[in-house]
Amino acid sequence: MTSTPDAPDAPDAVLPEHPSVTGAGLPALRRRIQAVLIATQILGGLGIATGIALSAVLAKDVSGSEALSGLASTATVAGPALLAMPLAALMASRGRRAGLVLAYLIGALGAGVTVLGAVVGSFPLLLVGLVGFGAGSSANLAARFAAADLAEPDRRARAISTVVWATTIGAVLGPNIAAPAGKSVSGLGIPATAGPFVWAAGIFVVAAAVVALLLRPDPLLTARALTETGTGKGGAEGRSLRAGMRVVRESPRARLALVTVAGSHTAMVSIMSMTPVALTHHGADIQLVGLVISGHIAGMYAFSPLMGWLSDRLGSLSVIGLAFGLIAVAALVAGTAGPSHGRTAVGLFVLGLGWSAGLVAGSALLTDSVPEAARPAVQGLSDFIMNTSAGVGGLAAGLIVAKAGYGPLNAIAACLLLPMAALALRGSLRKA
């Protein structure tokens, strides 16, 4: 017999959308769903990284102001923040597939508007486009929770980390094809720094098509059907956003998970978004910027399976502590790098490792800490808080660099992790 997530064995439960599949076929279904999610993560990672690598530089070119360049990262995380709660509500009622398709299509539309803003030289229109473009990352972020829907409880962190890892392929390639993407639009009257967004729009459309056609049966609806079949419980009353917020208020572990994901993501976005500007100050060209960001993204995604394995074996609290340490070291190395491009690259790589540890461990802890019915709402709340915090951080980052410099930005970003460390220590002491 095959066990279902947080439910008794249900070998004969008929899964929605595919009557021929029963609980006995759940292992094969897990593998197929994971394969589809991996494919879309590669595509989504490629689209996101291709555009985001030069977003701050493009914003600086269009606005003519370095202080305003930080608004680019703010806009790209504002999109996921604005979409997080509606996306959670849509997924709670119609499943993961509907939400992922919508997010990728909004991302494609936003990439197109970004290109239009660059062509006409309109900074407000550019920002509107970047908000929509950020919705593509909403899909990639939500996919990690889709991977956890059908995972066994003791392998949940590894399921999340495998899908996060898949982003590595597209995300590492993305910044390095920024230059070819820019050259490809040179004869069309489109600025070279906007070329990556042309490519990103097409990539997001392909990702939406893959989800729409192949993510069947829907993992969330399937997990819900199996849980309700095995326990006789469930229902829409526990799936509302209000119910999700109530669950978080009542769970210290869920609050720690939210702070971990939000804190590590905000520190990462704040530092990473202004690194291209800092590098160009010290003579780096677009190709070198792409290489540094590629190394950072490799740190973010390539080692996520290790973070998942550690979370399942040692516990999420231990890996949350590791995340704090890695990000603090990264801020020290990058913030004191000065004109040393190699040292900046090392700092950004370690920063990616810290983000990976925080995201995987925090996401797994969050999923484990709340009942199945409330998970979509709580996960949506997590992404909302994470991206809203990072948006504020990105906006502040541009102002801090303009007024004080890149080094002080790293120091301030590291201080953002103190609440996460305090909560994790408190949780460890209580556990002991």
Side-chain angles (χ1 to χ4, degrees), residues 9-424:
D9 294 334
D12 299 320
V14 177
L15 306 186
E17 303 181 1
H18 203 311
S20 63
V21 179
T22 64
L26 192 54
L29 178 60
R30 285 190 182 114
R31 291 191 294 271
R32 187 161 62 80
I33 292 296
Q34 188 174 68
V36 175
L37 292 173
I38 286 172
T40 58
Q41 286 293 96
I42 294 172
L43 290 169
L46 181 61
I48 294 164
T50 299
I52 207 169
L54 294 180
S55 60
V57 177
L58 177 61
K60 179 183 176 183
D61 291 345
V62 175
S63 68
S65 169
E66 183 175 290
L68 293 177
S69 63
L71 287 175
S73 62
T74 300
T76 56
V77 295
L82 291 172
L83 193 60
M85 300 305 280
L87 201 62
L90 177 62
M91 289 182 177
S93 61
R94 299 187 58 186
R96 300 290 185 192
R97 186 171 62 251
L100 294 178
V101 169
L102 176 64
Y104 279 130
L105 291 180
I106 293 175
L109 178 62
V113 174
T114 299
V115 174
L116 179 61
V119 170
V120 302
S122 170
F123 187 61
L125 185 60
L126 179 78
L127 292 180
V128 171
L130 288 173
V131 169
F133 170 76
S137 62
S138 290
N140 269 35
L141 288 170
R144 76 189 192 277
F145 292 124
D149 287 333
L150 293 173
E152 303 99 316
D154 62 348
R155 295 183 62 86
R156 193 163 279 145
R158 274 169 281 187
I160 291 172
S161 65
T162 299
V163 171
V164 172
W165 168 85
T167 310
T168 308
I169 300 172
V172 172
L173 288 175
N176 291 293
I177 66 172
K183 292 178 182 178
S184 71
V185 299
S186 60
L188 303 176
I190 298 174
T193 47
F197 291 93
V198 177
W199 286 30
I203 292 169
F204 283 153
V205 170
V206 174
V210 170
V211 172
L213 295 174
L214 300 180
L215 194 65
R216 298 173 182 273
D218 188 282
L220 177 60
L221 299 182
T222 299
R224 184 175 296 162
L226 288 170
T227 299
E228 293 175 3
T229 298
T231 65
K233 298 178 181 180
E237 67 277 0
R239 301 172 193 158
S240 69
L241 298 179
R242 180 176 298 180
M245 288 185 276
R246 183 173 63 251
V247 168
V248 171
R249 286 196 301 269
E250 296 172 352
S251 172
R253 287 166 60 85
R255 292 198 298 273
L256 169 59
L258 288 178
V259 170
T260 297
V261 173
S264 57
H265 190 62
T266 301
M268 184 277 292
V269 168
S270 300
I271 296 172
M272 182 273 292
S273 65
M274 297 310 298
T275 298
V277 175
L279 287 169
T280 56
H281 271 171
H282 294 291
D285 58 16
I286 290 178
Q287 186 174 8
L288 179 57
V289 170
L291 288 172
V292 172
I293 297 301
S294 291
H296 166 67
I297 294 173
M300 290 173 65
Y301 298 115
F303 295 89
S304 57
L306 174 62
M307 303 305 177
W309 181 82
L310 289 173
S311 294
D312 286 334
R313 291 294 300 271
L314 303 179
S316 297
L317 288 178
S318 297
V319 180
I320 288 172
L322 175 63
F324 175 81
L326 288 171
I327 295 175
V329 169
L332 176 64
V333 173
T336 58
S340 173
H341 300 324
R343 187 166 177 172
T344 301
V346 170
L348 265 287
F349 175 74
V350 176
L351 178 66
L353 290 177
W355 176 89
S356 179
L359 184 75
V360 171
S363 298
L365 180 62
L366 183 66
T367 303
D368 288 338
S369 301
V370 300
E372 187 279 330
R375 282 175 189 163
V378 173
Q379 291 160 353
L381 178 64
S382 172
D383 284 349
F384 170 75
I385 294 174
M386 175 179 72
N387 287 295
T388 300
S389 301
V392 174
L395 174 61
L399 298 175
I400 292 169
V401 169
K403 298 295 183 181
Y406 182 67
L409 169 65
N410 279 265
I412 293 171
C415 290
L416 295 175
L417 302 175
L418 293 176
M420 179 180 93
L423 286 174

